[in-house]
């Protein structure tokens, strides 16, 4: 008998009932993300061909130059999410403030807020290296039918109802979790359909890869420096292999499949590291924990942090459980 490959569309419908608040709304939301991902994928793929590369001229709220594809991806995702009557607010790494949806319509029933990094790792676009989209979904905490408020977005990551990422790599994959494990879908570009290719993804208990920008080594705190030295020592299964793409989604994705640890520590020059809690760390931490991995910011679990601002940055250590635990031992010695 011919083997039937499951599409993302079929998977969403089949698993709808797993979701505790299931009314099909979350399915519609994931569908919106699926569609926008395809559009962005198409644009990313032709980036080298047409004049959509380079700086858009704007500077985002982090003080970084925006490239045109960032702007485009931001627009596509916001457009897709706005259309459905499910989302009451969107916060994006590329926007200074959150966007309120349906604030004029008092009868609207939209229950979800989406936080998104539309195109992460964008400095890699010019050199044809993988980039990604990261998304995070929460139920609002303020009453339905009222305009969304900042507190709807500033929820600890453990409140996420779903999170995921798209990696635009050698193939394009959408990986997500609604709190029942992690599943990965690969896009067949010929027909524009995502197929379930990586069911029930799990971080190996331990691994041999460490991913960190070692150029910042001199600025790291002693615990991190010592852990990096530990990774490089010859003993047992060490030295480990160093792999750093500089694209969080890709580094994370590889480490989840092969076993490894990703680190973006704070340093003497960046007090809170670089990565954003709401758009990058929380969704990745949610997926990591759902995949039997671990994510910490130092002593604390990432998902327990109560955010204080939309664009907050935190140190981020994430990956195979045993490796993160080992790192934690080193951090505990000094801090
Ligand atoms: P971005 O949101 O501006 O693209 O920055 C986030 C990216 C991550 O994808 C990546 O892991 C990290 O920045 C790399 O930073 P660095 O070049 O400092 O190592
Ligand atoms: Mg980013």
């Amino acid at each position: 008998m011919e083997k039937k490959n499951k599409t993302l569309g079929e998977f969403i419908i089949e698993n709808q009932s797993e979701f505790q608040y299931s009314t099909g709304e979350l399915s519609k939301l994931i569908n919106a993300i699926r569609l926008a991902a395809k559009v962005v994928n198409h644009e990313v793929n032709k980036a080298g061909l047409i004049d959509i590369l380079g700086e858009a001229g704007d500077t985002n709220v982090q003080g970084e130059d925006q490239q045109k594809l960032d702007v485009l991806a931001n627009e596509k995702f916001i457009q897709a999410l706005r259309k459905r009557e499910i989302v009451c607010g969107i916060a994006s790494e590329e926007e200074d403030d959150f966007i309120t949806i349906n604030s004029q319509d008092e009868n609207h029933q939209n229950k979800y807020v989406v936080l998104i990094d539309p195109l992460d790792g964008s400095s890699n676009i010019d050199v044809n290296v993988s980039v990604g989209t990261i998304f995070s979904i929460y139920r609002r905490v303020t009453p339905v039918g009222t305009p969304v408020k900042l507190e709807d977005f500033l929820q600890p990551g453990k409140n996420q109802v779903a999170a995921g990422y798209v990696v635009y790599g050698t193939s394009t994959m959408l990986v997500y979790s609604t709190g029942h494990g992690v599943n990965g879908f690969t896009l067949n570009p010929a027909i524009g359909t995502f197929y379930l290719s990586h069911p029930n993804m799990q971080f190996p208990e331990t691994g041999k890869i460490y991913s960190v920008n070692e150029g910042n080594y001199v600025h790291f705190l002693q615990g991190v420096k010592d852990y990096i030295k530990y990774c490089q020592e010859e003993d047992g299964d060490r030295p480990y292999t160093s792999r750093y793409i500089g694209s969080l989604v890709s580094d994370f994705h590889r480490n989840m499949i092969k076993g490894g640890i990703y680190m973006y520590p704070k340093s003497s020059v960046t007090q809170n590291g670089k990565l954003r809690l709401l758009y990058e760390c929380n969704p990745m931490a949610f997926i990591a924990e759902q995949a039997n991995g671990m994510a910490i910011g130092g002593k604390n679990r990432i998902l327990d942090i109560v955010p204080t601002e939309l664009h907050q940055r935190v140190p981020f250590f994430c990956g195979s459980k045993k490796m993160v635990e080992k790192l934690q031992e080193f951090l505990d010695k000094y801090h």
Side-chain angles (χ1 to χ4, degrees):
M1 220 173 71
E2 199 184 319
K3 185 173 168 273
K4 168 93 175 69
N5 294 314
K6 196 173 289 176
T7 67
L8 173 55
E10 289 165 347
F11 182 91
I12 290 172
I13 294 167
E14 275 176 29
N15 292 280
Q16 199 160 286
S17 58
E18 262 188 357
F19 183 62
Q20 59 169 322
Y21 314 102
S22 186
T23 55
E25 288 170 316
L26 189 76
S27 303
K28 284 192 196 148
L29 221 169
I30 305 280
N31 263 321
I33 290 169
R34 170 181 72 149
L35 288 177
K38 283 192 221 177
V39 176
V40 172
N41 174 62
H42 185 68
E43 299 299 332
V44 168
N45 280 174
K46 63 182 188 192
L49 291 172
I50 54 173
D51 184 30
I52 52 170
L53 276 178
E55 316 284 302
D58 292 345
T59 302
N60 73 8
V61 70
Q62 327 282 345
E64 299 150 332
D65 287 327
Q66 276 191 21
Q67 291 180 299
K68 284 182 185 173
L69 266 177
D70 299 34
V71 180
L72 193 103
N74 192 38
E75 274 168 18
K76 295 296 173 198
F77 276 98
I78 290 173
Q79 245 173 38
L81 294 166
R82 207 188 255 285
K83 272 193 209 147
R84 326 257 163 158
E85 288 166 352
I86 306 157
V87 178
C88 53
I90 303 169
S92 162
E93 193 184 294
E94 300 296 340
E95 304 278 341
D96 295 1
D97 209 346
F98 62 83
I99 299 167
T100 307
I101 295 172
N102 260 355
S103 57
Q104 307 306 320
D105 174 8
E106 285 176 12
N107 296 319
H108 79 83
Q109 292 296 306
N110 304 12
K111 296 185 190 70
Y112 296 93
V113 294
V114 179
L115 295 95
I116 190 154
D117 183 353
L119 208 62
D120 183 64
S122 49
S123 62
N124 281 320
I125 297 166
D126 282 344
V127 290
N128 207 351
V129 169
S130 300
V131 287
T133 296
I134 309 172
F135 62 91
S136 166
I137 303 172
Y138 296 81
R139 271 172 86 87
R140 65 182 302 174
V141 289
T142 56
V144 173
T146 61
V148 77
K149 293 211 177 86
L150 183 60
E151 63 202 84
D152 292 313
F153 298 94
L154 298 186
Q155 300 187 52
K158 63 184 173 199
N159 288 6
Q160 285 171 106
V161 295
Y165 61 79
V166 185
V167 54
Y168 310 98
T170 42
S171 52
T172 292
M173 276 190 73
L174 192 154
V175 175
Y176 81 101
S177 172
T178 56
H180 299 272
V182 178
N183 291 284
F185 302 82
T186 303
L187 182 68
N188 178 344
I191 50 176
T193 304
F194 281 104
Y195 287 97
L196 178 61
S197 52
H198 295 62
N200 192 20
M201 296 179 85
Q202 299 262 323
F203 269 93
E205 202 60 23
T206 189
K208 290 197 63 173
I209 298 172
Y210 71 103
S211 312
V212 61
N213 186 341
E214 283 186 74
N216 295 329
Y217 184 87
V218 288
H219 300 301
F220 291 154
L221 304 182
Q222 198 55 46
V224 176
K225 283 183 174 169
D226 287 0
Y227 179 71
I228 292 175
K229 284 291 161 226
Y230 166 87
C231 293
Q232 296 168 342
E233 264 165 31
E234 194 167 18
D235 189 13
D237 63 346
R238 287 172 288 137
Y240 295 155
T241 296
S242 166
R243 288 280 181 276
Y244 189 70
I245 298 170
S247 196
L248 171 63
V249 169
S250 313
D251 280 310
F252 178 98
H253 187 72
R254 182 206 49 242
N255 290 352
M256 179 159 66
I257 291 173
K258 297 198 162 177
I261 182 169
Y262 174 94
M263 300 181 271
Y264 211 108
K266 67 177 173 185
S267 70
S268 51
V269 283
T270 53
Q271 260 320 298
N272 297 310
K274 175 184 184 189
L275 300 180
R276 291 79 171 171
L277 174 61
L278 297 182
Y279 313 108
E280 291 161 335
C281 305
N282 270 340
M284 292 321 230
F286 184 80
I287 298 165
E289 289 197 6
Q290 283 296 320
N292 201 32
M294 197 172 161
I296 58 170
K299 284 191 188 307
N300 51 345
R301 176 183 175 224
I302 287 288
L303 296 182
D304 284 336
I305 301 174
V306 180
T308 52
E309 50 184 297
L310 278 180
H311 294 282
Q312 186 172 346
R313 298 173 196 261
V314 290
F316 187 58
F317 307 95
C318 174
S320 291
K321 215 179 246 169
K322 289 227 160 83
M323 297 179 89
V324 178
E325 280 167 358
K326 190 73 194 170
L327 164 80
Q328 200 156 35
E329 281 175 29
F330 280 93
L331 296 180
D332 286 349
K333 273 191 206 156
Y334 294 94
H335 316 294

